Amino acid sequence: PDLLPACNGEVTTMSFLQDVVDILLQYVVKSFDRSTKVIDFHYPNELLQEYNWELADQPQTLEEILLNCRTTLKYAIKTGHPRYFNQLSTGLDMVGLAADWLTSAANTNMFTYEIAPVFVLLEYVTLRKMREMVGWPGGCGDGIFSPGGAISNMYAMLIARFKMFPEVKEKGMAAIPRLVAFTSEHSHFSVKKGAAALGIGTDSVILIRCDERGKMIPSDLERRILEAKQKGFVPFLVSATAGTTVYGAFDPLIAIADICKKYKIWMHVDGAWGGGLLMSRKHKWKLNGIERANSVTWNPHKMMGVPLQCSALLVREEGLMQSCNQMHASYLFQQDKHYDLSYDTGDKALQCGRHVDVFKLWLMWRAKGTTGFEAQIDKCLELAEYLYNKIKNREGYEMVFDGKPQHTNVCFWYIPPSLRSMEDNEERMSRLMKVAPVIKARMMEYGTTMVSYQPLGDKVNFFRMVISNPAATHQDIDFLIDEIERLGQDL
């Protein structure tokens, strides 16, 4: 009640915000301190009972509010900690953090130049630069920052459908033939989720076989396209993956582009995880052929370490997003404004309210330059190779697939001593399946590190180690291996 806009609230407000900043700065410093826990784990019912989280009729004091801030951060997962490897998005970038604070203070909406002039221009500049890096001449085309890779992939599906059947916008799915999309069996679940949301249906997403490294097999793609056409279905989109979620595989984009051209199908590349490699001269060959795509998803909040969320959808053809999505709302997009209306980007988005995500990426890019991002990405890939070289012949480890990882995903089983002499049979599999979950639970209870695990196809639970945090070092990789052995040797 004593904070601005209260009368004479300036002093109270300044000291309150100063206290909040102090809490935040302590947290930031702690995030990089390896002697602190990555996580202070409590079970949900414990956490619910330990504090009073309920909302009340009467206001609390500012002291209590600051206490709420401290408590929340006490149990937050330190995603910037050098030993947090759990997700594709890790790290804590100081310039990105500053940009996020500024964005929250400015508190505006991305839909018009009228209320977000600088942000709208920065989105225009940044998306054009990203399209240049994809390889589209002069950075031509269109794009938008969306709330994450799943939504970016859904946009691609929406636009591809509109391009082929513009009447679907007014008449709906009943007016058009049965559509089918194709993606690899290792692709992200968001392709099916988008098909469900758009009324295309998950049965209309055909999963293409992958080789043992997790790359889509082009001959199988062509076979399934022909099969679908014979049944009278209309293939409208192929979603190739550049950096799969689990194996970090890059689909053969050139071969896929040839097939899409041959059958006149929209080619989308889901580079949510692997798109960042376009910043690296050493690694961008893995995305050769991406310049032939009709649309690309690229999430700077993953490999490039931009604070969540920051996901871009890039589209090669200009104007398509606008005609696909615009509704001409006259209270926002008045046609008689006194400036160039092409900067009112809101009508090409699915959202009305849209958070400013571009400023974090733009400011970090200014602070690092392309070469800074390149160094950061090269370092993460080098760390993954270091881990791979360290465990590929180490006792107690088995690789999930042979050969050097293409991205920073390193997939392996830890085999506890009790299983090492067992012959490979059902019983060994069912015991091995339980190993990773127990080690993971112990990691969280000790709070020392976090790394993801999952089964895939006929393969039982294995660890998927990913590195996207530039703060990680060789010592952190060594620590992880020692920790897995320490926590798993008695299993």
Side-chain angles (χ1 to χ4, degrees):
D2 309 326
L3 298 176
L4 285 172
C7 198
N8 302 323
E10 294 89 334
V11 176
T12 321
T13 301
M14 291 296 278
S15 87
F16 169 70
L17 289 177
Q18 201 62 59
D19 288 343
V20 172
V21 169
D22 288 344
I23 292 169
L24 294 174
L25 294 180
Q26 281 166 22
Y27 179 78
V28 168
V29 171
K30 247 189 197 160
S31 284
F32 293 94
D33 176 357
R34 287 174 174 78
S35 68
T36 65
K37 290 179 164 192
V38 174
I39 170 178
D40 182 354
F41 181 77
H42 286 63
Y43 288 97
N45 57 338
E46 294 177 338
L47 215 45
L48 274 173
Q49 284 154 19
E50 204 164 320
Y51 297 92
N52 175 20
W53 305 102
E54 294 307 314
L55 297 164
D57 291 343
Q58 296 310 313
Q60 289 197 308
T61 65
L62 287 181
E63 280 65 42
E64 288 171 306
I65 296 303
L66 288 169
L67 198 60
N68 294 156
C69 293
R70 281 200 182 86
T71 306
T72 304
L73 282 181
K74 175 173 160 50
Y75 299 107
I77 313 297
K78 295 198 193 85
T79 55
H81 195 291
R83 289 173 184 169
Y84 172 81
F85 302 111
N86 210 63
Q87 251 61 48
L88 302 182
S89 44
T90 64
L92 180 56
D93 187 276
M94 294 309 118
V95 174
L97 183 62
D100 225 347
W101 291 350
L102 184 143
T103 302
S104 294
N107 189 33
T108 190
N109 197 324
M110 280 301 284
F111 44 49
T112 59
Y113 180 84
E114 180 177 328
I115 61 162
V118 177
F119 295 135
V120 163
L121 294 179
L122 295 183
E123 186 169 74
Y124 171 78
V125 167
T126 307
L127 288 169
R128 189 181 61 200
K129 177 77 173 171
M130 291 172 85
R131 291 192 299 266
E132 258 172 47
M133 300 194 81
V134 164
W136 295 333
C140 69
D142 208 337
I144 198 144
F145 282 92
S146 89
I151 303 295
S152 293
N153 288 342
M154 189 168 90
Y155 265 119
M157 208 171 248
L158 181 71
I159 296 162
R161 178 176 70 177
F162 176 81
K163 172 75 176 166
M164 196 176 263
F165 294 104
E167 63 270 29
V168 74
K169 181 175 173 182
E170 286 82 20
K171 308 249 183 314
M173 289 295 281
I176 65 171
R178 167 89 185 265
L179 301 179
V180 284
F182 305 84
T183 189
S184 92
E185 55 190 5
H186 284 211
S187 69
H188 194 259
F189 67 82
S190 57
V191 180
K192 283 194 165 184
K193 196 169 263 219
L198 295 175
I200 293 164
T202 56
D203 286 354
S204 302
V205 178
I206 295 170
L207 299 183
I208 307 303
R209 291 217 323 271
C210 292
D211 65 16
E212 66 289 344
R213 293 290 303 263
K215 297 166 179 285
M216 187 195 288
I217 300 170
S219 59
D220 194 52
L221 172 64
E222 185 158 23
R223 184 176 72 79
R224 300 303 295 269
I225 288 171
L226 290 168
E227 217 172 77
K229 286 168 82 94
Q230 273 159 5
K231 290 179 181 162
F233 302 151
V234 178
F236 81 108
L237 170 126
V238 173
S239 180
T241 313
T244 58
T245 313
V246 180
Y247 281 7
F250 290 82
D251 285 345
L253 301 181
I254 294 172
I256 292 169
D258 289 342
I259 293 169
C260 288
K261 186 181 174 189
K262 183 173 171 182
Y263 296 101
K264 297 187 172 57
I265 304 174
W266 182 283
M267 177 182 172
H268 175 62
V269 175
D270 177 1
W273 173 221
L277 268 54
L278 290 169
M279 313 288 284
S280 162
R281 284 167 293 196
K282 187 177 170 187
H283 295 286
K284 68 178 184 193
W285 62 270
K286 295 166 187 175
L287 296 108
N288 282 351
I290 194 170
E291 69 287 348
R292 296 176 60 189
N294 297 94
S295 56
V296 173
T297 293
W298 175 357
N299 288 10
H301 70 221
K302 292 194 169 87
M303 201 59 208
M304 290 162 67
V306 178
L308 285 158
Q309 55 207 13
C310 188
S311 170
L313 173 78
L314 310 169
V315 183
R316 190 167 58 186
E317 184 182 329
E318 206 177 336
L320 197 56
M321 278 194 97
Q322 187 79 7
S323 39
C324 175
N325 294 325
Q326 67 185 355
M327 290 293 151
H328 305 289
S330 56
Y331 50 84
L332 267 185
F333 309 113
Q334 302 90 340
Q335 294 306 295
D336 45 10
K337 291 182 180 181
H338 64 297
Y339 60 80
D340 178 353
L341 295 176
S342 71
Y343 291 103
D344 282 3
T345 52
D347 216 6
K348 68 182 177 193
L350 279 181
Q351 299 165 265
C352 177
R354 190 160 69 88
H355 186 258
V356 176
D357 291 330
V358 67
F359 191 62
K360 297 170 286 197
L361 171 58
W362 181 83
L363 202 66
M364 281 172 65
W365 210 326
R366 295 281 283 200
K368 288 179 204 285
T370 308
T371 55
F373 275 125
E374 176 179 49
Q376 186 176 308
I377 286 162
D378 287 354
K379 179 191 169 183
C380 289
L381 280 130
E382 190 277 318
L383 284 175
E385 200 172 331
Y386 172 80
L387 170 62
Y388 166 72
N389 288 331
K390 196 163 165 148
I391 64 176
K392 65 177 174 187
N393 300 318
R394 189 183 178 98
E395 192 187 4
Y397 290 84
E398 267 178 40
M399 304 310 297
V400 173
F401 56 82
D402 290 332
K404 199 172 86 172
Q406 282 235 295
H407 205 346
T408 69
N409 310 50
V410 184
C411 298
F412 60 90
W413 287 282
Y414 171 69
I415 318 285
S418 70
L419 296 185
R420 286 177 202 170
S421 53
M422 273 184 80
E423 54 179 288
D424 201 0
N425 57 20
E426 282 294 307
E427 195 206 340
R428 184 179 184 269
M429 290 267 272
S430 70
R431 283 176 61 180
L432 184 56
M433 184 170 74
K434 299 184 181 83
V435 172
V438 173
I439 294 177
K440 172 69 178 271
R442 291 175 178 179
M443 277 176 181
M444 289 177 72
E445 277 158 12
Y446 280 105
T448 48
T449 182
M450 284 176 74
V451 59
S452 184
Y453 72 83
Q454 68 283 301
L456 188 70
D458 59 351
K459 296 175 166 61
V460 298
N461 283 323
F462 56 87
F463 286 112
R464 175 204 63 169
M465 171 68 181
V466 282
I467 303 156
S468 59
N469 185 350
T473 62
H474 291 117
Q475 287 84 347
D476 296 311
I477 305 293
D478 296 343
F479 174 86
L480 176 83
I481 294 169
D482 292 343
E483 195 61 0
I484 287 174
E485 290 172 3
R486 177 178 83 86
L487 297 173
Q489 60 189 357
D490 63 332
L491 297 176

